[in-house]
Amino acid sequence: LCKVKRISKGAKAIPYAATHDGRTIRYPDPLIKVNDSVKVDLETGKRVDFVKFDVGNVVMVTGGRNLGRVGTITHKEKHPGSFDIIHVKDAVGNAFATRLANIFVIGKSDGKTTKALVSLPKDKGIKKTILEEAAIRLRKESPEKSV
């Protein structure tokens, strides 16, 4: 997946999309806008699919305090002259907010089900509290001590 950073026109008015990893996709679909994600075939370099940056789609946080968390977009706040804020809710129901620049769309939603286009990390992007992490560590250590 590649996040679209810029849509522009190049030489001879050829439209192109510039992605976060430096790729340039010529003649992108007119529906693709900035902050959308594009699925690219690595062998051919061609666009296979794309996901819109819309409320309800699955996102992963790529920076800031909530780094690595996965959830669905619940609300977008526009702040002219400042950072736009995106509100996200994870699978457990915890809500958090982060800057637009820290968000990467990784999946689609059709209202009832959500489907990520990439495999998720081991905890599915759900942040545990310090107490939950300690309880898990104790459960792992207790069988080793009894043996």
Side-chain angles (χ1 to χ4, degrees):
L1 287 179
C2 298
K3 182 178 179 178
V4 175
K5 289 290 193 181
R6 183 177 68 210
I7 300 278
S8 185
K9 291 188 179 181
K12 300 180 184 175
I14 295 173
Y16 70 91
T19 62
H20 79 286
D21 63 347
R23 294 177 198 270
T24 302
I25 301 170
R26 290 168 46 117
Y27 299 106
D29 190 316
L31 297 175
I32 296 175
K33 304 292 181 211
V34 175
N35 295 320
D36 294 348
S37 290
V38 179
K39 188 172 182 178
V40 177
D41 184 13
L42 294 176
E43 293 167 359
T44 62
K46 301 289 184 190
R47 178 185 63 83
V48 177
D49 193 13
F50 71 96
V51 184
K52 299 291 291 173
F53 182 79
D54 282 332
V55 172
N57 283 345
V58 182
V59 296
M60 178 175 270
V61 181
T62 59
R65 186 165 180 245
N66 295 308
L67 178 69
R69 293 181 79 174
V70 175
T72 57
I73 300 174
T74 57
H75 182 67
K76 297 188 273 190
E77 287 181 17
K78 298 250 186 211
H79 295 281
S82 185
F83 299 103
D84 293 345
I85 304 296
I86 308 300
H87 294 269
V88 181
K89 189 175 203 175
D90 65 10
V92 179
N94 299 325
F96 57 96
T98 189
R99 291 179 178 176
L100 174 64
N102 296 337
I103 294 287
F104 197 113
V105 182
I106 60 168
K108 299 179 181 179
S109 175
D110 61 358
K112 295 180 181 145
T113 60
T114 57
K115 171 99 172 75
L117 297 176
V118 294
S119 57
L120 295 176
K122 65 176 182 175
D123 291 334
K124 305 287 187 230
I126 297 169
K127 186 176 182 181
K128 293 182 175 59
T129 64
I130 295 172
L131 294 174
E132 290 171 340
E133 289 177 0
I136 291 170
R137 263 197 315 275
L138 285 174
R139 271 188 255 132
K140 286 182 181 177
E141 290 174 4
S142 60
E144 294 172 3
K145 290 181 181 177
S146 64
V147 172

